[in-house]
Amino acid sequence: MRNRILALAALAAAIGSPLAAQAQSDVTIGRAPAVVDSAPTIAVEQRPAFREYVVEQRVPAFRIPDRVAVGAILPESGITYYDVPQRFGATTYRYTVVNGETVLVEPRSRRIVEVLN
């Protein structure tokens, strides 16, 4: 009976592990893990044109006291978020410029999902 329970527990762990690994990827930033979604972002070959677009739009840069990094949450007020034009890909994210860095932000959580250098 004991061996049967151990075998079932091992089977459940083996089946559940790949599913959990596919559901999310953890990235450690500082001390807290941040879940990075796999939603589409701006393609690497499109980034120079996107940076040029941001400069042409004269998007105001915002300053925050914290470091700009993937997983950081931006303040609720004081920052304006802009739609990414369709020509740069279908993305659900918004962009803004913070501390001189152009960032893609998940609009509901205000979490930085990518820093575009």
Side-chain angles (χ1 to χ4, degrees), residues 4-23:
R4 187 177 221 181
I5 293 172
L6 289 174
L8 286 174
L11 181 61
I15 291 172
S17 295
L19 295 176
Q22 283 181 334

Side-chain angles (χ1 to χ4, degrees), residues 54-55 57-65 68 74-75 77-82 95-103:
V54 172
V55 170
Q57 296 302 305
R58 298 182 184 212
V59 172
F62 298 93
R63 301 273 326 147
I64 60 171
V68 175
L74 295 176
S77 61
I79 295 181
T80 304
Y81 303 99
Y82 304 92
Y95 78 92
T96 193
V97 178
V98 179
N99 295 356
E101 304 274 356
T102 301
V103 296

Side-chain angles (χ1 to χ4, degrees), residues 40-57:
T41 62
I42 298 169
V44 174
E45 60 273 2
Q46 288 274 346
R47 291 180 186 179
F50 180 71
R51 282 191 294 276
E52 187 176 313
Y53 169 81
V54 172
V55 170
E56 288 172 358
Q57 296 302 305

Side-chain angles (χ1 to χ4, degrees), residues 90-112:
T91 178
T92 58
Y93 301 127
R94 304 292 180 266
Y95 78 92
T96 193
V97 178
V98 179
N99 295 356
E101 304 274 356
T102 301
V103 296
L104 291 181
V105 179
E106 198 289 313
R108 284 186 228 137
S109 67
R110 302 175 324 280
R111 181 177 52 84
I112 296 174

Side-chain angles (χ1 to χ4, degrees), residues 72-88:
I73 306 294
L74 295 176
E76 249 183 279
S77 61
I79 295 181
T80 304
Y81 303 99
Y82 304 92
D83 291 334
V84 175
Q86 276 296 117
R87 70 178 184 225
F88 296 111

